[in-house]
Structure formats: C-alpha cells, structure tokens
Amino acid sequence: MKAAVLTQFGGPEALVWDDVPAPRAGPGEIVLCVHAAALNYADLLQRRGTYGIEHSLPRIIGYECSGIVAEIGAGVSGWSVGDPACALVSSGAYAGLVAAPAAQVLPVPAGIDLIEAAALPEAACTVWSNVLDLGALKSGETLLVHGGAGGIGSFAIQAVKAIGARVFATAGSADKLQRCRDFGADRAISYADEDFVAVIEVETGGHGVDVILDNMGAAYLGRNVAALAFDGRIAMIGLQGGRDAAINLGAMMRKRAALFTTSLRDRLPAAKARIVAGVLDDLWPHVAAGRIRPVIDRSFPLAEAAAAHRYMESGRHVGKILLIAPETGRAGKPFA
C-alpha cells in the first residue's frame, strides 16, 4: 500500500510518499481502508522529533481516520466488512490501510459524511476525557477553552453548549474570534488584545470559570489559576506555551483547584476503550442530532502530507485539516 512515511525528524519534507507493507487485522483488531485522515498538533511534534515517545524510524504517523472496514480480526463482533467507520489510533493513519483496536473504532454518526468523520475521533475523545470525565463539567457550569478555533476547541465549544454549559473561548484574530462565536461561544476573547482573566472576572461577576481546557501549558498556568472558580479544574492537554512553570500552590489551595495534565495517545488500551465508549454514549447522539458538527478547514491529497503540515504550521486554519486518499476523488478540495 501507499503511505506518507516519516523518514527522518525535521521539516515537512521528512514525510515521503512511499510503498509500505499493508497491515493485517490481529486478534481484537479491525483494518480500515482509509478514506481520510486528520492532522493534529501532535503530528507536527512527532515529525520534528520533540513529542517525547517512540523515536524509531521510519514510521507512519496519524492519530485518526475514517474509512471502510476491510478486515476483521479474531474475537471482534458487531462489525462487518464494508461498514463505514472512524477510528482513534496510536499511529498509522497517513496510509491506505490502518489497523485499529476494535474498541477504538466508532460508527460514523448519522448525517455525517464519511470523509468528514475523520475529523471527529481525536477531538471527541479529548473533549470527553478532559472536559466531561476529568473536568466533570455539568450543565449550568462554565468552560474556558484556549484555542477555540482549532480542531479541539471548535468541537469543545459545540459539545459544551450541547450539554447546557456556558463557554468562553480565546483566539488570536478577528476571523477566528467570529468563528468561535459561530460555533456557540458565549464570549470570544482576543488573547492579542484582551486579558482573559479580566474578561472572565467581569463576565462571571467574579465567580470565575469551573473548567479550563488548556493547550498552552506554562505560559498560561498562573493566569488560568486566577481565572478559576472555587473548586475549579484545569485540564492541560498541550504545552505550546512552554514546559517549565512556577506554580503558586497557595493560590490553588485557596480555590481548592485541581490541575490535570493529560495526553491521549499513550494511554493504555483499556483506558482508550473506556473513553471511546463514553464518546459513543454522551457525544455521538449530539453529533447525530446536528448539535455538534466537524469543523474542517480544507483538505490535501494524502500524498501531499508535507504541504498539509506546512499549512498547519502557518496557523491560518480553523478546525481540522484533512488528508484525502486518492480513490475518494475528493482530494485537494477546500471545505466551506
């Protein structure tokens, strides 16, 4: 089969379109014929060699994809060859075929195109595990999501509104701020021109936010604590603003605050299976009802993964960037 193979650590040119052996379904696995894969920020870190795990090369990267079930391994039930599906995988999505644990494969929700479905698994699993599970956000509470125009942020805004909570979102341009409002954000905050702590102080009448979904890490830690309500929770899912920070434990204790530092890819299979099951129960009905929609910026041919990485690094995108397999006939077409 063909795949975009990471041959060395470095720039986008490290991704090479090449022939590789096709995977087979082992026990408990499903092989998907990939129609589309989605980019994530962690893909860029893996390509650069800074993600911190699994440094062997060559490697096929990519965490999520959609396609058609092509092979079913021993012990798998509930699926048939030819079924449309999307999957959360640890690697391998930038390819014509990918093997996924059956417990990490999801049906394509009603009303969602098979190509669009590639944009759902990673964002849905990240939001469910951090906002609804660890963060325990409930109807009537308030979320602050940093990077509201990104793939995870756009999904989080919609999901939080679907469960009846209030949401603030930060973004860095007028266009992205408007898109956050379009997704349902109650207040979009410009991190270039506004202090999100001061905005939240005013907007919540001094209460603060109950949960923060943070991709910035060190740069925002102190301000995140300041923006929290009593018994507030921070779920830190990224370190784009740095890894090393001083933390005022006294400020956290005064608010009885909780800080969770989490990642998705390196969790044990049983933990991922639990997350996927939670997504299916708690979020898939909202997707099928149209309350949550995948937000897709544009697509690139799978063979042009390097160009897709360059575009993602430009920071111009809103929502997800897709890689489209050649046989779909959809590659290269921008999404509205």
Side-chain angles (χ1 to χ4, degrees):
M1 69 173 183
K2 288 286 191 179
V5 182
L6 181 64
T7 58
Q8 61 184 337
F9 297 120
E13 66 279 357
L15 292 164
V16 177
W17 187 241
D18 203 358
D19 291 301
V20 296
R24 298 301 305 269
E29 290 185 333
I30 289 174
V31 169
L32 292 182
C33 178
V34 175
H35 282 222
L39 271 66
N40 291 283
Y41 184 73
D43 296 358
L44 305 185
L45 300 181
Q46 277 203 82
R47 193 205 71 223
R48 297 167 187 162
T50 59
Y51 194 62
I53 58 175
E54 292 188 11
H55 288 294
S56 60
L57 293 174
R59 179 189 314 146
I60 304 170
I61 62 174
Y63 294 142
E64 59 184 333
C65 62
S66 61
I68 299 296
V69 174
E71 185 183 1
I72 298 171
V76 176
S77 60
W79 292 97
S80 300
V81 171
D83 285 346
C86 54
L88 178 74
V89 294
S90 296
S91 62
Y94 290 17
L97 295 164
V98 64
Q104 293 169 216
V105 179
L106 286 152
V108 174
I112 299 295
D113 179 89
L114 180 59
I115 300 296
E116 295 177 312
L120 289 172
E122 190 267 352
C125 288
T126 297
V127 170
W128 186 89
S129 60
N130 289 282
V131 177
L132 302 186
D133 189 34
L134 285 176
L137 186 76
K138 300 294 189 296
S139 176
E141 290 191 320
T142 304
L143 172 77
L144 167 63
V145 55
H146 292 301
I152 291 172
S154 59
F155 190 99
I157 292 169
Q158 296 177 81
V160 165
K161 295 305 294 183
I163 68 168
R166 191 181 184 197
V167 58
F168 300 99
T170 62
S173 70
D175 177 64
K176 289 186 177 183
L177 290 165
Q178 185 56 53
R179 294 298 298 275
C180 289
R181 297 183 196 102
D182 294 341
F183 302 145
D186 294 279
R187 174 68 154 86
I189 305 169
S190 170
Y191 61 71
D193 303 316
E194 297 180 287
D195 177 3
F196 69 81
V197 178
V199 172
I200 287 167
E201 173 80 13
V202 171
E203 293 285 339
T204 65
H207 176 79
V209 292
D210 299 293
V211 177
I212 298 176
L213 184 62
D214 175 60
N215 60 357
M216 292 302 293
Y220 279 12
L221 181 55
R223 294 164 69 200
N224 280 338
V225 173
L228 276 183
F230 285 95
D231 299 309
R233 295 83 74 190
I234 301 170
M236 187 179 293
I237 60 171
L239 301 171
Q240 296 181 36
R243 297 170 179 266
D244 299 318
I247 186 168
N248 186 332
L249 295 176
M252 290 194 70
M253 290 187 72
R254 283 194 297 273
K255 290 191 172 183
R256 301 183 300 274
L259 170 63
F260 302 98
T261 57
T262 78
S263 62
L264 186 60
R265 181 171 180 263
D266 57 356
R267 297 198 191 200
L268 294 174
K272 290 183 181 178
R274 176 179 170 272
I275 292 168
V276 169
V279 166
L280 188 60
D281 287 343
D282 296 335
L283 294 178
W284 249 220
H286 292 300
V287 179
R291 290 183 286 271
I292 302 173
R293 305 295 298 182
V295 178
I296 300 169
D297 186 286
R298 66 180 58 234
S299 64
F300 290 80
L302 184 55
E304 297 178 15
H309 274 232
R310 290 188 187 97
Y311 179 65
M312 189 173 197
E313 287 180 325
S314 76
R316 299 194 304 269
H317 64 289
V318 172
K320 291 281 191 174
I321 301 165
L322 297 187
L323 298 172
I324 311 298
E327 61 270 21
T328 67
R330 295 277 299 276
K333 296 184 179 179
F335 285 77

